[in-house]
Amino acid sequence: MAEPRNASILIFDSGIGGLSVLKEMRIILPSMRYIYVADDAAFPYGAWEEQELLERMTKLFAALIERHNPGMIVIGCNTASTLAIHHLRKVYPDQIFVGTVPAIKPAAERTHSGLVSVLATPGTVRRQYTRDLIKQYASKCHVRLVGSENLAQLAETYMRTGFVDEAAVKTEAELCFVEQDGKRTDIVVLACTHYPFLVNRLRKTAPWPVDWIDTCEAIARRAVSLASDLTFKPRDAALPDIALFTSNQVSKEIQRLVVGFGLIGTAYP
Ligand code: DGL
């Protein structure tokens, strides 16, 4: 029988986006310890070249696995998962990885008009992984991929300072709204974990109502289903839930933000 694993889940993102995943995870897996890692020194991931980012992530994970040996790893980032999940599983076969990929399948199943948009970082829009999902699950739909340069940063600013530039949010999402042959886009997939934090502003500035779909809850459910096949040690009550930032800059704002999510900002790694 396999050795029991540490009762900890490491959630990884380029910034604060994975906190939207953490929120869901806590609801359905409350007994685990959470280690949140933001590679903020490299934010935004959406702008990186694939090879360089893959190398960076592979090195980061070597350090994180050695230091924390988590029971499970959730890549709470579409840009990172669509690039690196297969590779990381190969390089670290003893780890259990849960990825985050654009919710194209549920969108294709739910759309009435057949017009679906995927709002994501430029990196996720470029990925073959994303195009394969469309081919596999949404070949009967008209899928528009919209790469947003600034929305993840707008979400970072909002979460850190409370300020949101609504006009800029509107501009970033504008291309998602398509009218064609008397039909309109009825679903927009939020394919970046930063975006759910801006969903109210997206809703408010949209030219017509649509369904905004994200994957946070589905990821948490996937983690639960994997966890049910594993054995975990009892959680060590002395170890708190923590947040690590690769920049090692944990400002007052950041500390306040992560405390709101039940984490303590501490030194990386
Ligand atoms: N949160 C990340 C995602 O889900 C992207 C943000 C970035 O560009 O770093 O895609």
Side-chain angles (χ1 to χ4, degrees):
M1 209 175 109
E3 281 274 295
R5 312 179 70 83
N6 285 332
S8 58
I9 298 183
L10 188 151
I11 301 181
F12 180 89
D13 182 37
S14 57
I16 52 88
L19 293 171
S20 60
V21 179
L22 171 73
K23 216 165 102 191
E24 297 293 335
M25 299 281 301
R26 272 194 197 290
I27 297 171
I28 39 185
L29 277 175
S31 58
M32 301 297 264
R33 174 179 186 229
Y34 288 94
I35 300 162
Y36 185 82
V37 181
D39 186 12
D40 63 334
F43 180 88
Y45 268 15
W48 277 67
E49 287 304 322
E50 297 196 343
Q51 196 50 36
E52 277 90 359
L53 185 55
L54 199 58
E55 282 164 23
R56 178 178 177 86
M57 287 184 62
T58 310
K59 265 193 221 142
L60 285 180
F61 273 101
L64 289 167
I65 290 166
E66 164 143 16
R67 170 85 179 80
H68 300 285
N69 191 21
M72 189 183 285
I73 297 173
V74 175
I75 312 280
C77 175
N78 294 262
T79 314
S81 290
T82 52
L83 173 70
I85 190 94
H86 295 321
H87 175 77
L88 292 172
R89 283 189 180 126
K90 242 185 259 160
V91 181
Y92 304 110
D94 295 336
Q95 299 298 319
I96 311 285
F97 285 96
V98 180
T100 306
V101 298
I104 288 165
K105 185 169 182 258
E109 284 164 1
R110 272 194 241 168
T111 178
H112 293 295
S113 68
L115 300 182
V116 169
S117 291
V118 178
L119 184 58
T121 67
T124 300
V125 162
R126 274 197 304 271
R127 301 275 187 267
Q128 190 55 42
Y129 198 122
T130 307
R131 297 181 185 248
D132 290 346
L133 284 176
I134 295 172
K135 224 200 269 160
Q136 196 176 354
Y137 298 113
S139 56
K140 294 204 173 70
C141 302
H142 177 276
V143 180
R144 173 177 283 188
L145 286 169
V146 179
S148 163
E149 301 277 348
N150 303 312
L151 207 50
Q153 181 59 60
L154 289 165
E156 286 276 330
T157 306
Y158 172 55
M159 293 303 284
R160 287 166 190 250
T161 68
F163 171 75
V164 58
D165 179 345
E166 274 183 11
V169 170
K170 183 177 194 302
T171 306
E172 293 296 308
E174 231 153 39
L175 287 172
C176 293
F177 294 87
V178 180
E179 282 189 289
Q180 200 175 281
D181 305 328
K183 291 181 176 167
R184 284 172 159 185
T185 304
D186 62 355
I187 298 198
V188 177
V189 177
L190 297 178
C192 167
T193 52
H194 279 70
Y195 302 169
F197 290 122
L198 291 176
V199 73
N200 287 337
R201 308 307 164 103
L202 287 162
R203 220 172 257 140
K204 184 172 165 196
T205 56
W208 60 80
V210 293
D211 258 6
W212 304 90
I213 304 190
D214 69 62
T215 29
C216 300
E217 196 195 328
I219 301 160
R221 272 192 268 110
R222 174 75 188 132
V224 173
S225 114
L226 286 174
S228 66
D229 292 333
L230 303 167
T231 328
F232 294 97
K233 297 175 193 161
R235 177 179 172 167
D236 182 345
L239 296 175
D241 290 354
I242 54 173
L244 311 169
F245 291 81
T246 56
S247 69
N248 252 327
Q249 269 154 34
V250 186
S251 62
K252 258 200 231 138
E253 284 167 353
I254 281 290
Q255 195 63 267
R256 187 177 41 79
L257 173 68
V258 299
V259 166
F261 283 85
L263 306 164
I264 296 169
T266 181
Y268 175 82

